[in-house]
Amino acid sequence: MQKTLTITVDKKKIISKPFDFEAMCLINDEHNNEKNKGPLTICRGAVDYLFEGTEATQEVINALDLNTRTRLCIELWSMYVDTLTAKNE
């Protein structure tokens, strides 16, 4: 099952690209930067990346309220941690 993020803009639901290796690498790079603290700073770039090419332009993503941005980053952080800790089946 592919994991995605979802936002609502002007009553329209917009779904991100699926969480992938590139998003994983973006988060991992930020996670390894000692200057970054917490999911909001670590996942910001990956959130932007996952909505690239969707109906949510960068302007729309930049204008998200703090609660929405926080929710997206926490959901993405959870995907990252789940991927890191997944057992081989």
Side-chain angles (χ1 to χ4, degrees):
M1 181 174 158
Q2 294 182 330
K3 297 177 182 181
T4 58
L5 299 173
T6 304
I7 58 173
T8 302
V9 177
D10 297 329
K11 299 181 181 179
K12 184 173 185 174
K13 185 177 178 178
I14 301 173
I15 300 171
S16 73
K17 297 183 288 192
F19 181 73
D20 61 8
F21 184 73
E22 180 67 22
M24 183 80 177
C25 290
L26 289 168
I27 296 169
N28 193 60
D29 288 347
E30 294 301 319
H31 186 223
N32 289 322
N33 181 342
E34 293 177 6
K35 294 178 185 177
N36 291 330
K37 306 267 190 253
L40 282 175
T41 55
I42 292 171
C43 296
R44 183 177 184 92
V47 168
D48 293 352
Y49 161 75
L50 287 176
F51 281 102
E52 283 177 7
T54 69
E55 293 181 51
T57 64
Q58 190 60 48
E59 184 177 305
V60 168
I61 297 300
N62 289 343
L64 292 173
D65 63 77
L66 183 59
N67 289 335
T68 302
R69 174 66 76 170
T70 300
R71 176 185 60 80
L72 293 171
C73 288
I74 290 172
E75 287 177 21
L76 195 50
W77 178 254
S78 179
M79 290 177 202
Y80 173 74
V81 171
D82 287 349
T83 301
L84 285 178
T85 59
K87 295 181 180 180
N88 292 333
E89 295 181 11

